[in-house]
Amino acid sequence: MRAPSLRIGLGLAVALAATVAPLRAQLAQPGNGLSAAKALDHDAYDIWNRVQGQALADDGRHVLYHIVAEKFDTRLHVHPVRGGQRIEIERAENARFSDDGRFVVFRIKPSKAAVEEAKKKKTKPEDMPKDSLGILDLSNGQVVARVAQLKSFAMPEEAGGWLAYLVDKPKPATKPDSAKAEETPAAEAGRPAAQDSAKKPERKKDEGSPLVVRNLATGEERRIEDVASFRFSKDGRALAYFVSTKAGDTDGAFRLELAAGTTTPLLSGKGDYKGLAFDEAGRQTVFLSNAADYAADAPAYTVYVANGAAAARVVATAGSAGIPVGWLVSENETPSFSDNGRRVFFGTAPRPEPKDTTQGETPADEKVVLDIWAWTDPLLQPMQLRQLDQEKRRTWQAVVHLDNGRVVQLADRDVPDIQRVAKGNAGFVIGRSNLPYQKEISWGESGTDYYTIDIVTGEKTKVAEYIRGAAQVSPGGKYLAWFDGAERHWFVMDLATKQAVNVSANLPHPVYNELHDSPSEPGSYGSAGWTTNDARFLVYDAHDVWAIDPTGREAPRSITEGVGRRETLRFRYVDLEARGAFAGFGGFGGFGRSDEPIDPTKDLTLSAFHQWTKADGFYRDRVQGNAEPVRLAMADVSFGRPVKAEKADVVLLTRATFRDFPDLYLTDPTFASLERISTANPQQAEYRWGTSELVDWRSVNGERLQGVLYKPDGFDATKQYPLMVYFYERLSDNLHNHVVPSAGGSSVNISFYVSRGYLVFTPDIPYRVGYPGESAMNAVVPGVLELVDRGFVDPKRIGVQGHSWGGYQISYMITKTNLFAAAEAGAPVSNMISAYGGIRWSSGMSRMFQYEKTQSRLGGSLWEAPMRFIENSPIFWADKVETPLLMMHNDQDGAVPWYQGIEYFVALRRLDKPVWMLNYNGEDHGLRKEQNRKDWAIRMQQFFDHYLMDAPPPVWMVEGVPAIRKGETLGLELVETPKKVTTQETGGRH
């Protein structure tokens, strides 16, 4: 029986209630003789919940998560791990545990209804409903504080006793109209304004807001006015903050000792203060300020360091020895300490160039505005323009040694990027530069040169040239490791000797992705990282984990003892202690946490995924020793990433199948049993759903392939069903993934269509370089025919849908086969020649790389393989199309230029083929606005229901929506007609 639930409502009133899973949710399961009552409809999108922001308290006593839905306000759930009261708080978001696990602090959002009502009243942004702060005390289950007008809040990383939060500054009292009139400038009142050409305009200065520092245990609070920003030390002993006022008379940087309550000014003076950081020990503080130069037209920033409560001292500024002549300390990079606190890293930049005044006072509408595309440009003009803001804020890293004050410029215009070594404690850093190769980015090649840079002298030594991909330094700083796609091996360089070794040459199995099927160099299967003291480098093959001697003297050893290959499993390292993103889990993976080595004497957790059955689970192993990995759990489900409480053996993860939402479960590091703690979507029991299963077949070339077949509830193999085919590249690993009903931005929602009586098939596609369209045909068509041969697919009611790369493949396939009764191709490339010469406007890149090296897989330039461009372009074979086609291609598509859709549409229209194209004005490659997503989902359903379910067509398919009626009607009404929409019915010739 579940623990009682404490529900805290809109007014934060408390009411006790028992939470019991709905009986129907328990009964409406496969095999019990009952079935859910209704099919999913488009209204279901709004009520379907997601679980987000889940976290474990460090002491492992509580877990929190948020239930989020499109239509309803977010709800925070706080769940005891070992029994007790469950708490639910409405409208609570961004919740965090205090370090000691006693408190939960959260943001309270205004209700969605209140926000909508304010929008209807055209409320000004500054007068819209505001957020509040809530504090929950888990020792008594009470919300002990609620604070209005919240801006932001923070707690120390490793101390549970304190909270600080900023609130909006109170608005000044509104003055009466008469008072306002008295203050009206003379010029506005119709009188000549006094001229004072010598007076400079006052520089705009932002004001701070009230900061409240709260002792969570006692509830005692301290208010500090005009705070612009603040930061806790990691250990929670101190808080530093900046004060900013319009007048500037109290501006400065301050340090508050939290236990003693004493405040010390670190630096005072009118100016701007930025970039606040503590060292690891919480003793030193670093920040930037232009107070010393604030009277200048363009005041320069200085780096200040304060030791404890002592006054801050200057450690670097413009003109400091070591900073290049004409360069400044940049305000665009927050300075930071090395892990040992002996160095400060900060950014520099050239002094901004004076503005070009060659066009003088020319009116704006008469000024020359142009872009000059030069063949000598390293990057294309559109790419430069996309990166313009980033380039204007670019910094070049420097370091100051605090023991002697020496400043060393580490990065420069030739080597712009820096990677610290041993958390900044090492005697060198790694420099990176791709500048010599930037032009090659346009056709998908490029590389990076690597340097060691002496942190005392700044001397640079090139150690590796033209490395594809990213090289990573080992945690101890002894080695640099990278994967070479051309050689298909891992290389490790000893940074002391500058000698590189192919460390995977003697490994008995490939370490590159053997399924790679594009003209580019293959990537690796990834790495788990390094063991302590940089002793071993852990890499993956397709199945197992290998410990590699970085010197290359000892042979690689499988720490998983070959069990992965023997059992057809894919083992990957899971760092249970990691917070945020991590590498390697559930896929090929990349580097592990390169700055956190793996202890070879301790147990480690491995994820395990079966290549053919798609079963998922976990094993236990260790680097040291030769024992085989121990199986902990394996099941026909999909597990989400597990996270362990920092100070307790409590693990939180998700578990899902196609039928079961990925709810949260608690377990321990043995994964012996799972306790479900969330039931996000009990309403699913009211709807028909379906099941998923693997399908095997052979391609035209005889290759064994897999795909997933989704069947509706109550499936009867003696009946025939309409079939929807959806594909991209390889999707069979998604067998156990749950698909939440939603109005997607581009593709069919599998759960929605299965619920409504469709079969859905998602086949895998391998590719042959030079023949992407034919490859898709050779894989997909035999898979569909395999299902037709089983007797339960209606061969006259097969539809196909895909977006982007999937849209291209569909556009190609319907020129070669009439297998499909209807097709939707979203944002398709139809003409590879014009697309090859186009721009990916989201990045500004030339599209050449995609055709020569990556997804489009032509394997050569237009001049090297012109016929491949023609043979694979649907536009040249449009006259062969007999399948009714729906396209969506939006006018702000940043990935596939929308003229590709236009070319195909006007070709098919010219040929009197049934074709429609939807352009959601202002939308990108996929739809972002919820109203557009839902409209698209409705139209796509209407289209396929008409051709595959004999449903009446909508007005927009029969008559269109003329421009003169745009905004007046959507044309979604159904037209009763017994016949399919054909060229004759739309006025064309067949």
Side-chain angles (χ1 to χ4, degrees):
M1 185 172 179
R2 294 191 178 187
S5 171
L6 189 67
R7 185 182 180 91
I8 301 175
L10 296 179
L12 295 183
V14 178
L16 191 63
T19 302
V20 180
L23 179 61
R24 189 165 195 173
Q26 300 175 34
L27 294 177
Q29 299 297 327
N32 58 14
L34 299 178
S35 62
K38 55 187 177 182
L40 287 166
D41 55 29
H42 299 290
D43 291 335
Y45 307 149
D46 293 337
I47 64 172
W48 230 263
N49 296 313
R50 278 76 166 169
V51 176
Q52 297 178 0
Q54 58 264 35
L56 276 169
D58 286 348
D59 61 10
R61 294 184 179 182
H62 289 85
V63 61
L64 65 79
Y65 57 93
H66 305 79
I67 297 292
V68 180
E70 184 67 32
K71 186 176 182 180
F72 303 117
D73 293 318
T74 296
R75 288 158 287 153
L76 169 66
H77 293 251
V78 184
H79 191 298
V81 170
R82 295 286 181 264
Q85 201 170 60
R86 300 178 60 170
I87 299 169
E88 181 180 338
I89 304 175
E90 294 185 11
R91 306 199 326 266
E93 299 183 8
N94 307 113
R96 284 185 52 196
F97 285 111
S98 59
D99 181 72
D100 59 8
R102 176 179 167 182
F103 294 92
V104 177
V105 183
F106 49 90
R107 182 181 292 270
I108 305 168
K109 303 293 290 185
S111 70
K112 291 186 177 182
V115 172
E116 286 302 313
E117 183 64 25
K119 286 181 179 178
K120 289 178 182 178
K121 294 179 178 178
K122 301 188 184 304
T123 305
K124 295 179 180 179
E126 60 269 23
D127 296 326
M128 290 290 287
K130 297 292 194 300
D131 296 351
S132 301
L133 176 79
I135 305 172
L136 171 65
D137 187 341
L138 291 174
S139 68
N140 57 24
Q142 299 295 312
V143 172
V144 295
R146 178 179 178 178
V147 181
Q149 306 293 311
L150 176 70
K151 293 183 71 175
S152 64
F153 72 89
M155 291 182 286
E157 186 178 339
E158 294 183 355
W162 298 95
L163 164 71
Y165 57 91
L166 283 170
V167 295
D168 285 324
K169 194 163 189 167
K171 288 186 178 181
T174 303
K175 295 180 180 180
D177 292 341
S178 58
K180 291 180 181 179
E182 291 174 6
E183 295 182 1
T184 303
E188 295 180 19
R191 299 188 301 274
Q195 301 295 316
D196 186 2
S197 59
K199 186 176 180 181
K200 292 190 298 185
E202 184 71 16
R203 184 181 299 128
K204 184 179 179 181
K205 196 167 182 298
D206 293 331
E207 286 188 292
S209 301
L211 173 71
V212 179
V213 182
R214 180 184 178 95
N215 184 314
L216 285 168
T218 66
E220 181 181 354
E221 292 188 336
R222 176 174 182 167
R223 184 181 174 101
I224 307 169
E225 299 297 331
D226 303 312
V227 174
S229 62
F230 67 95
R231 183 177 293 272
F232 281 106
S233 63
K234 187 175 181 179
D235 60 12
R237 295 183 181 181
L239 180 140
Y241 60 91
F242 298 143
V243 167
S244 179
T245 62
K246 277 188 177 180
D249 51 349
T250 58
D251 287 1
F254 300 84
R255 179 185 175 108
L256 169 62
E257 301 295 339
L258 291 164
T262 57
T263 300
T264 305
L266 304 178
L267 181 70
S268 299
K270 185 176 183 178
D272 298 314
Y273 294 77
K274 294 184 176 183
L276 185 60
F278 280 96
D279 66 1
E280 187 72 11
R283 181 65 181 169
Q284 299 179 98
T285 316
V286 64
F287 58 91
L288 306 175
S289 178
N290 61 12
D293 195 36
Y294 195 69
D297 289 339
Y301 280 84
T302 294
V303 183
Y304 292 90
V305 169
N307 194 346
R313 69 186 193 278
V314 175
V315 297
T317 191
S320 293
I323 294 180
V325 175
W327 285 39
L328 306 170
V329 171
S330 174
E331 63 179 297
N332 295 320
E333 180 176 335
T334 298
S336 58
F337 289 94
S338 58
D339 193 61
N340 58 20
R342 298 174 185 172
R343 300 165 179 160
V344 167
F345 295 88
F346 63 98
T348 63
R351 187 182 294 274
E353 296 282 347
K355 291 185 178 180
D356 183 4
T357 58
T358 56
Q359 296 195 59
E361 300 301 320
T362 306
D365 62 345
E366 297 180 16
K367 287 185 178 180
V368 176
V369 181
L370 82 163
D371 301 323
I372 299 175
W373 298 40
W375 72 282
T376 53
D377 286 347
L379 300 177
L380 281 171
Q381 274 288 316
M383 197 169 181
Q384 293 181 49
L385 293 170
R386 292 293 297 181
Q387 298 178 9
L388 185 59
D389 289 342
Q390 176 185 330
E391 285 301 311
K392 286 181 177 179
R393 297 174 59 84
R394 176 181 284 278
T395 64
W396 287 261
Q397 197 163 101
V399 65
V400 55
H401 299 264
L402 297 178
D403 56 350
N404 59 19
R406 179 174 185 140
V407 176
V408 181
Q409 185 67 46
L410 301 173
D412 57 29
R413 290 187 184 276
D414 294 324
V415 184
D417 299 316
I418 298 299
Q419 178 185 350
R420 298 182 201 177
V421 180
K423 300 181 180 180
N425 295 344
F428 66 97
V429 296
I430 298 296
R432 301 179 298 221
S433 176
N434 72 343
L435 298 179
Y437 318 113
Q438 283 190 341
K439 199 170 184 180
E440 299 176 11
I441 291 173
S442 290
W443 45 92
E445 294 185 354
S446 195
T448 303
D449 295 338
Y450 285 82
Y451 299 76
T452 56
I453 304 175
D454 190 290
I455 206 162
V456 174
T457 67
E459 181 181 356
K460 296 177 176 63
T461 302
K462 185 185 288 187
V463 296
E465 194 169 76
Y466 203 72
I467 299 298
R468 306 286 183 86
Q472 294 284 342
V473 68
S474 59
K478 296 179 182 178
Y479 303 103
L480 189 71
W482 68 90
F483 180 79
D484 189 309
E487 297 288 337
R488 303 189 176 193
H489 281 290
W490 284 100
F491 287 78
V492 173
M493 173 178 287
D494 185 322
L495 289 171
T497 66
K498 309 298 188 291
Q499 296 298 308
V501 178
N502 182 337
V503 293
S504 59
N506 295 324
L507 201 147
H509 306 291
V511 291
Y512 64 89
N513 176 10
E514 296 158 271
L515 296 180
H516 181 80
D517 53 16
S518 77
S520 60
E521 296 171 358
S524 73
Y525 283 118
S527 161
W530 293 79
T531 63
T532 50
N533 301 317
D534 296 352
R536 290 292 184 271
F537 183 43
L538 305 182
V539 305
Y540 304 131
D541 69 9
H543 300 283
D544 292 294
V545 187
W546 294 80
I548 293 182
D549 174 11
T551 70
R553 289 190 287 268
E554 296 183 22
R557 180 179 64 84
S558 172
I559 71 169
T560 47
E561 311 302 327
V563 172
R565 187 165 295 273
R566 187 182 74 209
E567 303 293 338
T568 325
L569 297 173
R570 183 173 69 215
F571 285 130
R572 297 295 180 258
Y573 169 56
V574 180
D575 186 353
L576 293 179
E577 308 292 341
R579 299 296 183 263
F582 73 103
F585 178 58
F588 292 157
F591 283 86
R593 293 193 297 165
S594 59
D595 60 346
E596 297 293 340
I598 295 169
D599 187 336
T601 67
K602 293 184 177 180
D603 288 343
L604 51 80
T605 301
L606 301 173
S607 69
F609 183 81
H610 197 283
Q611 178 180 350
W612 292 107
T613 70
K614 317 303 179 183
D616 205 3
F618 301 98
Y619 279 63
R620 183 176 61 240
D621 202 0
R622 63 175 57 185
V623 176
Q624 189 171 293
N626 55 9
E628 291 190 353
V630 177
R631 174 173 163 167
L632 301 175
M634 285 296 292
D636 290 326
V637 301
S638 175
F639 287 113
R641 174 197 149 183
V643 176
K644 178 183 169 297
E646 188 172 327
K647 302 171 185 176
D649 283 339
V650 179
V651 173
L652 178 69
L653 78 166
T654 61
R655 172 192 179 279
T657 66
F658 173 65
R659 192 174 195 91
D660 300 318
F661 179 85
D663 275 304
L664 294 170
Y665 289 78
L666 288 172
T667 185
D668 59 38
T670 70
F671 297 89
S673 62
L674 299 178
E675 177 191 355
R676 182 175 174 176
I677 62 168
S678 72
T679 305
N681 289 294
Q683 78 283 356
Q684 182 178 323
E686 301 173 15
Y687 295 90
R688 294 196 294 271
W689 207 260
T691 57
S692 62
E693 65 184 52
L694 283 173
V695 176
D696 288 59
W697 73 98
R698 297 282 177 178
S699 72
V700 169
N701 303 322
E703 183 175 357
R704 179 186 176 186
L705 298 178
Q706 288 188 302
V708 181
L709 177 64
Y710 300 88
K711 298 177 177 178
D713 284 344
F715 172 79
D716 184 346
T718 65
K719 297 180 180 179
Q720 288 192 325
Y721 294 81
L723 174 68
M724 179 69 69
V725 183
Y726 173 80
F727 50 79
Y728 193 78
E729 291 188 357
R730 294 178 186 267
L731 298 175
S732 64
D733 285 359
N734 297 336
L735 171 68
H736 299 303
N737 287 7
H738 185 81
V739 181
V740 173
S742 66
S746 60
S747 301
V748 294
N749 183 273
I750 294 173
S751 299
F752 179 89
Y753 279 82
V754 172
S755 176
R756 302 185 73 83
Y758 284 84
L759 297 170
V760 178
F761 179 46
T762 60
D764 286 347
I765 304 173
Y767 296 91
R768 185 161 66 104
V769 171
Y771 304 93
E774 183 180 303
S775 298
M777 284 282 295
N778 291 345
V780 173
V781 172
V784 172
L785 294 178
E786 165 69 22
L787 297 180
V788 171
D789 288 344
R790 297 186 183 187
F792 50 71
V793 172
D794 187 335
K796 296 181 180 179
R797 300 174 187 271
I798 302 174
V800 62
Q801 194 275 330
H803 190 80
S804 193
W805 180 237
Y808 156 71
Q809 294 172 95
I810 290 168
S811 297
Y812 175 90
M813 291 169 68
I814 61 175
T815 69
K816 306 296 181 183
T817 179
N818 293 328
L819 177 63
F820 304 108
E824 192 285 322
V829 166
S830 61
N831 183 344
M832 287 196 168
I833 296 175
S834 59
Y836 176 80
I839 297 292
R840 292 179 68 94
W841 293 107
S842 60
S843 64
M845 291 180 66
S846 163
R847 293 180 56 82
M848 289 181 177
F849 77 94
Q850 183 163 336
Y851 298 87
E852 296 184 31
K853 295 292 184 180
T854 63
Q855 190 174 60
S856 296
R857 296 175 168 90
L858 295 188
S861 71
L862 178 59
W863 309 278
E864 293 167 330
M867 292 309 299
R868 290 184 184 179
F869 283 79
I870 295 174
E871 291 167 359
N872 286 284
S873 294
I875 194 76
F876 294 105
W877 319 105
D879 59 322
K880 308 299 182 185
V881 174
E882 298 296 336
T883 306
L885 177 65
L886 172 65
M887 291 187 290
M888 176 183 71
H889 214 151
N890 304 316
D891 50 26
Q892 294 300 310
D893 194 321
V896 180
W898 82 302
Y899 57 72
Q900 288 294 309
I902 294 172
E903 287 189 40
Y904 207 35
F905 175 83
V906 296
L908 293 172
R909 177 177 176 270
R910 169 70 177 81
L911 294 164
D912 286 327
K913 310 291 185 178
V915 60
W916 298 262
M917 190 174 88
L918 307 180
N919 166 28
Y920 288 89
N921 299 171
E923 287 275 24
D924 203 334
H925 191 55
L927 299 174
R928 307 291 176 84
K929 296 179 180 179
E930 189 61 28
Q931 67 269 28
N932 290 342
R933 286 171 171 249
K934 184 173 285 190
D935 181 86
W936 165 238
I938 292 170
R939 294 183 195 275
M940 189 155 50
Q941 182 209 342
Q942 289 179 332
F943 174 77
F944 282 117
D945 277 3
H946 174 61
Y947 285 109
L948 307 185
M949 292 277 204
D950 292 327
V955 169
W956 66 268
M957 284 180 62
V958 177
E959 302 174 7
V961 178
I964 198 170
R965 299 204 64 197
K966 181 177 178 179
E968 297 178 3
T969 179
L970 294 174
L972 294 173
E973 304 83 11
L974 298 183
V975 177
E976 291 298 332
T977 174
K979 296 183 291 185
K980 295 286 192 297
V981 176
T982 65
T983 51
Q984 292 97 328
E985 291 168 345
T986 55
R989 298 185 305 276
H990 187 59

